[in-house]
Amino acid sequence: MEAQPLQRASPPPPVHVAIIMDGNGRWAKARGLPRTAGHKRGAEAVKRAVESAGKLGIRYLTLFSFSSENWRRPLAEVTDLMTLLRYYLRNEVHFLHEHGIRFRSIGDRARLDADIVAQIERTESATAAHDRLTLTIALNYGARAELTTAARRIACEAAAGRIDPQQIDEAQFAAHLYTADIPDPDLLIRTSGEKRISNFLLWQLAYAELIFVDTLWPDFSNQDLQDAVGEFHRRERRYGATGG
């Protein structure tokens, strides 16, 4: 009997994928709908992305949900976004349990309403033991503020004599970031065709592959995520070790 050719194993998925979810407003405008409708459809896209990431074997998924600059949007839109956030925090815990997802939030919680902070903390606690996928939502997040806060904390520790300034290195600095307990992203995806990082994970994205897709976030599908992972696998990651 003729020997069958060996099947080539599929490459492992990126461990950590970060996504800038962009295009909710444009999706709604193109359909003559209020921006709130775009945000609601965007929330549905979040669930699709989370389910797809789990099936692909991605271990960490970080989504840029609300930036510290988003407070400048019209008050009615911000209010609608916070109402939507409350709804999903209250009603989607069963989804997290069902899929073995650990939930966490990064960003400055000081400006969020107390009931939202309390629900975030309850959800983090309730899902802490899950280990299939860690879903991190960036809320009231800005990378420059994160870096500034980390530097301030290290400076205070040095002033108190708990840290030798000469011993501060990249690992010690990273340990003071919101993401200290998870690996840096391997892949960043931004939807809607924009090609900016927009103050998102500036330290953590140092060696991530960046993929920009034209799809508006509410239309982001399982296939879009699979295609992005496929593009990631076609790239050679050098980490600065060799030239092009």
Side-chain angles (χ1 to χ4, degrees), residues 141-158 163-182 184 201-206:
Y141 173 86
R144 287 183 173 181
E146 177 187 26
L147 295 173
T148 302
T149 299
R152 186 182 303 116
R153 289 173 179 169
I154 292 173
C156 289
E157 292 184 20
I163 294 178
D164 179 357
Q166 298 302 317
Q167 300 301 314
I168 297 172
D169 56 14
E170 291 183 10
Q172 194 168 61
F173 190 90
H176 288 76
L177 300 176
Y178 293 129
T179 55
D181 60 337
I182 63 175
D184 290 342
L201 300 177
L202 296 179
W203 175 281
Q204 298 89 334
L205 292 174

Side-chain angles (χ1 to χ4, degrees), residues 18-33:
I19 304 179
I20 299 176
M21 306 179 294
D22 196 11
N24 290 348
R26 273 169 282 175
W27 183 93
K29 183 178 180 181
R31 290 160 177 78
L33 300 171

